[in-house]
Amino acid sequence: SKFIAPNLTACHPSYGRPDLLVHCCPPGFESPVPFVDFQFPDPQSPKRVRRPVQLVDENYIAKYNKALSIMKSLPYDDPRSFARQANLHCLFCTGAYDQQNSNTPLSIHRTWLFFPWHRMMIYFHERIIGSLIGDDTFAFPVWTWDIPEGMVMPDIYANMNLSFFHKVRDFSHFPPRVADLNYFEETNLSPQEQLDTNLAFMYNQMVSGAKKTELFMGCTYKANEGYCNSPGTVESAPHNTLHTWVGSNLEPGREDMGKFYSAARDPIFYAHHSNIDRLWEVWREIHKHELDIKDPDWLNSFFFFYDENLKLVKIKVRDVLDISKLGYSYEEVDRPWLNKRP
Ligand code: C2O
């Protein structure tokens, strides 16, 4: 079998940009830490419903704001701290770990591990956030950039008085600027033109360009076969492009959102990835789950994350394919792009 898995004791500096070596290995990685196998949350526990960020109320914002400031104040030694959470992305996305059974670096982007790995990362993050304020119903807000109401940077992330604000961003892209889902340079489109272009683009990335498993999920990545490096439609854009669009025009790699090593330092990362995660479910639903990957090497690939109880958990791709078992769901969102064939 050729499943992918990290060797946690083989961590090393990695390149955050071609000209920048970064150090994101956790303290004490050299000595193995005992871990437990993933277990689904108790089916009796309350469901977490992830809602579009434009629909959440004051009360919710206050709670999340408080939890996030607690998380940001935890010491770096604590794997639940915001800095350590952010570095998970640096670790698994810049090749900081070698693989088990091979000395090649593990990197989850631009492969079929993109969707499941990020689902895991934000699953644990969401539960940690909730536990910091004793709320086991806490669920992420979703940056629904695929519907017209969501096509701007959400207000809570642009509000300097809240812990969601982040200053390493492109300020010319703050509200009311309409996001360019296929951003690579500034355009002169009117807000309405940008919005229509975005909807047609979504149709392409979710429907016409994503009719085969690999086209949407990304390439087959197996141990000892080398890095495959071919992302799915939505990973390329809007995923990558919005990372770039949010990141700062004053930084060489449009940090923080614009580069893997720094992206998860911006709280908007989690709302962005909630939408990516939701769109994975939408795509599966459009295809009635007929295009779901069945390859055991994908299903058995595994990673490690700390949970809200500070336990190190080993979790496999096969564990994250049914979100209802993971105890969360998405509030229903319109799909205005579904009939926007260009
Ligand atoms: Cu691992 Cu949005 O990137």
Side-chain angles (χ1 to χ4, degrees):
S1 42
K2 295 180 165 186
F3 59 81
I4 299 275
N7 177 352
L8 296 186
T9 59
C11 193
H12 40 71
S14 48
Y15 283 92
R17 289 195 311 259
D19 61 337
L20 181 72
L21 199 60
V22 290
H23 302 263
C24 39
C25 297
F29 71 87
E30 300 88 346
S31 15
V33 174
F35 61 84
V36 297
D37 285 321
F38 177 72
Q39 285 195 326
F40 292 109
D42 179 351
Q44 305 309 329
S45 60
K47 289 282 172 250
R48 301 166 189 264
V49 184
R50 297 182 183 170
R51 305 191 70 202
V53 61
Q54 61 275 17
L55 301 181
V56 300
D57 62 27
E58 294 283 313
N59 205 2
Y60 170 89
I61 295 166
K63 277 205 281 192
Y64 186 15
N65 184 50
K66 179 172 170 214
L68 186 57
S69 31
I70 298 174
M71 190 184 236
K72 286 182 174 181
S73 72
L74 295 175
Y76 192 70
D77 279 337
D78 190 327
R80 300 169 306 170
S81 64
F82 189 73
R84 288 282 294 282
Q85 292 286 302
N87 267 353
L88 287 171
H89 199 261
C90 179
L91 285 165
F92 287 98
C93 308
T94 66
Y97 286 123
D98 287 338
Q99 295 178 38
Q100 295 190 5
N101 313 320
S102 125
N103 290 325
T104 45
L106 196 178
S107 214
I108 56 92
H109 273 264
R110 308 176 71 83
T111 79
W112 67 2
L113 296 175
F114 171 76
F115 286 105
W117 184 87
H118 288 87
R119 172 166 292 175
M120 294 170 185
M121 180 194 176
I122 69 173
Y123 168 82
F124 289 103
H125 187 93
E126 178 174 73
R127 298 177 66 90
I128 294 170
I129 287 276
S131 81
L132 293 175
I133 46 167
D135 179 356
D136 57 4
T137 66
F138 175 79
F140 285 126
V142 186
W143 181 13
T144 53
W145 32 252
D146 57 305
I147 61 169
E149 303 84 324
M151 284 181 189
V152 286
M153 181 184 295
D155 285 329
I156 65 166
Y157 295 94
N159 182 336
M160 288 181 58
N161 301 315
L162 296 173
S163 52
F164 315 109
F165 183 77
H166 192 68
K167 56 184 187 305
V168 197
R169 288 198 194 131
D170 188 332
F171 285 85
S172 76
H173 292 165
F174 271 48
R177 182 66 172 268
V178 178
D180 177 354
L181 301 191
N182 195 20
Y183 175 74
F184 55 99
E185 60 187 7
E186 303 305 328
T187 64
N188 296 318
L189 300 185
S190 72
Q192 187 60 45
E193 287 166 341
Q194 183 66 69
L195 202 142
D196 291 333
T197 307
N198 285 344
L199 291 176
F201 185 66
M202 281 306 300
Y203 180 84
N204 188 71
Q205 301 303 83
M206 288 292 291
V207 184
S208 53
K211 289 189 170 142
K212 289 199 174 115
T213 304
E214 283 214 23
L215 294 176
F216 185 79
M217 294 301 294
C219 56
T220 300
Y221 177 34
K222 299 194 178 197
N224 295 309
E225 287 185 2
Y227 183 51
C228 66
N229 197 13
S230 173
T233 47
V234 164
E235 180 183 353
S236 295
H239 169 262
N240 288 350
T241 46
L242 284 176
H243 269 276
T244 310
W245 185 82
V246 172
S248 169
N249 48 324
L250 306 174
E251 298 293 327
R254 290 191 69 95
E255 284 90 345
D256 280 331
M257 275 285 276
K259 279 282 169 283
F260 294 148
Y261 80 92
S262 53
R265 296 174 187 170
D266 186 333
I268 205 172
F269 174 94
Y270 304 87
H272 181 39
H273 272 280
S274 297
N275 204 41
I276 295 290
D277 190 66
R278 182 181 70 80
L279 290 171
W280 180 20
E281 287 304 294
V282 172
W283 178 81
R284 295 175 75 194
E285 201 186 303
I286 291 175
H287 294 287
K288 305 186 178 61
H289 290 233
E290 279 159 14
L291 300 186
D292 284 3
I293 301 174
K294 289 171 201 78
D295 189 326
D297 290 329
W298 183 70
L299 295 168
N300 293 330
S301 288
F302 62 85
F303 301 98
F304 297 90
F305 293 88
Y306 281 95
D307 71 5
E308 67 277 18
N309 302 314
L310 294 167
K311 283 210 182 86
L312 186 63
V313 178
K314 170 182 165 182
I315 183 168
K316 295 181 176 179
V317 167
R318 64 166 73 252
D319 294 327
V320 297
L321 302 178
D322 181 346
I323 64 172
S324 70
K325 284 196 187 160
L326 296 175
Y328 73 89
S329 62
Y330 288 99
E331 188 167 300
E332 202 57 42
V333 176
D334 285 349
R335 298 165 191 182
W337 40 265
L338 205 49
N339 51 17
K340 282 290 188 277
R341 180 141 44 117

